[in-house]
Amino acid sequence: MHSIFMQSSSMADSIMSRAATMEIPINSNGDSRTIREDDGLEQVGSRAAKAQWSLDEKADSRDLQQVMVSGPNLNETSIVSGGYGGTAEGIIPTSSIKGPAIRFNADFLPRRIPAPGQGSNMHHSGSNQSGMAEEATRGIAVEKFDIMKKWGLNTYKCTKQLISERFGRGSRTVDLELEAQIEVLRDTKRKYENVLRLARALTNHFYSMVQTQHALGDTFADLSQKSPELRDEFGYNAETQKLLCKNGETLLGAINFFVSSINTLVNKTMADTLWTIKLYENARLEYDAYRADLEELNLGPRDAVTMARIEGAQEEYQAQKDKYERLRSDVTIKLKFLEENKVKVMHKQLLLFHNAISAYFAGNQQQLEQTLKQFNIKLKPPGDDKPSWLEEQ
């Protein structure tokens, strides 16, 4: 502001000096025109005063405007030292300014500057999060690599052991008693599957016969109404076919129960035991593979590296041995319970099948119904399998 005032003063002085040295014209009568020239001088002085006031007012207005824009936090601004319109070379921090000869840069635009330490903390926090994410990803990758490596080594050893056994070069662990029981179970399952297949075929054929008898009985009944001369004969045959159809439906209920029980025994109970046997056989193969690997290492040199490998192989061999023995025990227990369950189930189902078939073909309707009651078999009423009209919607 002081600099602007000095410039305005020098401008006013130059104007006043030119006005003082201005030539005063004389009129034709010798009278000087002092009044008009005095008015001109007053106008010049007034203009200089107005120019100086205008400059001061603009400077004050610019100072006030800049202060309002930059805000109250002077520590976040830059200022210019020197006169109005100074270059950017004069920008210095506010904290180093002393005295009134300062002016805000007119081209300065306020911007958000984080508080001291805030930016570094945010950057440090982001770096920590990024580092933690990288460590987690690296840990997952290392874990997957270890799993794949372990799986690859295990597969290689088991494949090598399997090929050796197929070509008769390697030895395998054999439990003769358990192997015999497993072979009996597999043979029994094949025979029971054949019984199940034949029982299902019998059910399908017998169901077709019952449906045919039902249609034939309806036809006889219709002809009995339309043939007066043969009404009695058609009526007898219609009643017989209806009775056979009813007994056939009862027998179908017994056969379906027999088929369902055999299916559960073969495809659930036996299948579960055979799955455990499969796990046992895989464990046996792994056990023999690690056993052969340990035996091979024991035949080699006894240096420090080999001893470390032998120690690791010994631990793996022991783990596989424990797994093999545990699964062998599971197979033995399941085979025992399966045999007991098979005897109970087949005793009941074979008795049911025999009594139902005998009663049906003997024409003993009461015995047939009594057989179903004995084994707690409840027949579904005709049309019960059809969905209701609400379910069809």
Side-chain angles (χ1 to χ4, degrees):
M1 185 182 297
H2 180 70
S3 176
I4 293 176
F5 178 77
M6 293 296 293
Q7 290 180 3
S8 300
S9 300
S10 59
M11 185 183 298
D13 292 339
S14 61
I15 295 175
M16 294 297 293
S17 62
R18 283 188 295 174
T21 57
M22 185 180 301
E23 183 179 356
I24 302 174
I26 305 299
N27 59 14
S28 57
N29 296 325
D31 296 331
S32 62
R33 304 180 61 179
T34 57
I35 296 175
R36 184 175 182 180
E37 286 150 1
D38 290 340
D39 293 340
L41 290 175
E42 289 178 0
Q43 293 177 1
V44 170
S46 177
R47 292 175 182 175
K50 289 181 179 181
Q52 181 177 357
W53 178 83
S54 178
L55 291 174
D56 292 339
E57 184 180 11
K58 288 181 179 180
D60 295 338
S61 176
R62 188 178 297 275
D63 290 341
L64 179 60
Q65 181 180 2
Q66 189 64 30
V67 170
M68 294 297 293
V69 172
S70 60
N73 191 0
L74 297 180
N75 291 328
E76 297 182 359
T77 61
S78 298
I79 58 175
V80 168
S81 175
Y84 177 79
T87 61
E89 296 178 355
I91 298 177
I92 57 176
T94 308
S95 59
S96 61
I97 297 298
K98 295 181 180 180
I102 60 173
R103 182 168 303 283
F104 289 97
N105 188 1
D107 297 332
F108 175 79
L109 294 178
R111 58 189 179 88
R112 176 62 180 170
I113 301 177
Q118 181 180 359
S120 60
N121 291 337
M122 294 176 62
H123 179 71
H124 183 66
S125 177
S127 300
N128 290 339
Q129 294 179 358
S130 177
M132 294 175 61
E134 291 179 358
E135 291 180 359
T137 304
R138 189 181 299 109
I140 294 174
V142 171
E143 183 179 358
K144 290 184 177 180
F145 177 77
D146 292 339
I147 293 174
M148 290 297 297
K149 181 181 179 181
K150 184 178 181 180
W151 174 83
L153 292 174
N154 184 71
T155 304
Y156 167 74
K157 292 179 181 181
C158 293
T159 305
K160 180 181 177 181
Q161 176 66 22
L162 183 61
I163 294 175
S164 300
E165 292 178 2
R166 292 289 177 85
F167 287 94
R169 298 177 181 175
S171 60
R172 63 187 298 265
T173 303
V174 179
D175 189 336
L176 295 178
E177 183 179 359
L178 187 60
E179 293 291 337
Q181 294 178 2
I182 292 174
E183 188 61 30
V184 169
L185 173 60
R186 286 173 175 164
D187 184 64
T188 302
K189 185 174 183 294
R190 286 191 295 265
K191 293 178 180 179
Y192 277 45
E193 286 175 346
N194 189 36
V195 171
L196 180 61
R197 180 180 60 83
L198 294 174
R200 284 174 173 171
L202 176 62
T203 303
N204 293 331
H205 296 321
F206 195 77
Y207 176 78
S208 299
M209 187 185 73
V210 170
Q211 294 299 316
T212 304
Q213 288 175 342
H214 187 275
L216 188 59
D218 291 341
T219 303
F220 285 157
D222 184 64
L223 289 173
S224 175
Q225 298 294 329
K226 297 180 179 180
S227 303
E229 66 280 3
L230 297 175
R231 177 178 301 174
D232 295 336
E233 289 79 0
F234 278 123
Y236 296 152
N237 283 278
E239 292 296 331
T240 301
Q241 294 300 320
K242 289 182 179 180
L243 181 60
L244 291 174
C245 182
K246 181 180 179 181
N247 294 337
E249 291 177 351
T250 305
L251 179 61
L252 277 175
I255 297 177
N256 286 330
F257 186 77
F258 174 81
V259 170
S260 176
S261 300
I262 299 300
N263 179 67
T264 302
L265 178 64
V266 172
N267 294 323
K268 291 186 178 180
T269 309
M270 292 185 178
D272 179 71
T273 304
L274 289 173
W275 173 252
T276 307
I277 291 173
K278 184 178 180 181
L279 296 178
Y280 157 74
E281 291 176 345
N282 292 336
R284 197 276 312 164
L285 182 62
E286 293 178 352
Y287 166 69
D288 286 336
Y290 282 93
R291 177 181 55 80
D293 184 58
L294 179 60
E295 291 175 355
E296 184 178 354
L297 289 175
N298 287 327
L299 296 176
R302 296 286 179 158
D303 54 359
V305 177
T306 306
M307 291 301 297
R309 294 181 59 187
I310 290 175
E311 183 178 356
Q314 181 68 34
E315 294 178 357
E316 294 176 350
Y317 163 77
Q318 187 63 38
Q320 294 298 329
K321 183 179 179 181
D322 296 339
K323 179 181 178 182
Y324 165 72
E325 292 179 351
R326 175 173 51 83
L327 286 173
R328 182 177 63 179
S329 177
D330 293 344
V331 170
T332 303
I333 294 173
K334 283 195 172 185
L335 285 173
K336 180 180 179 180
F337 284 114
L338 175 61
E339 184 65 23
E340 295 176 357
N341 188 29
K342 182 192 70 172
V343 171
K344 292 181 180 180
V345 170
M346 293 308 299
H347 175 76
K348 178 180 179 180
Q349 297 303 319
L350 290 174
L351 184 62
L352 167 67
F353 190 82
H354 174 268
N355 293 342
I357 293 292
S358 300
Y360 173 80
F361 285 99
N364 193 341
Q365 182 180 0
Q366 294 180 354
Q367 184 180 356
L368 182 60
E369 293 178 353
Q370 185 65 30
T371 301
L372 268 66
K373 291 180 180 179
Q374 179 182 357
F375 293 96
N376 298 322
I377 301 174
K378 296 181 180 181
L379 298 179
K380 295 181 180 179
D384 187 63
D385 294 336
K386 296 181 180 179
S388 63
W389 66 273
L390 288 174
E391 295 174 347
E392 292 178 353
Q393 298 298 324

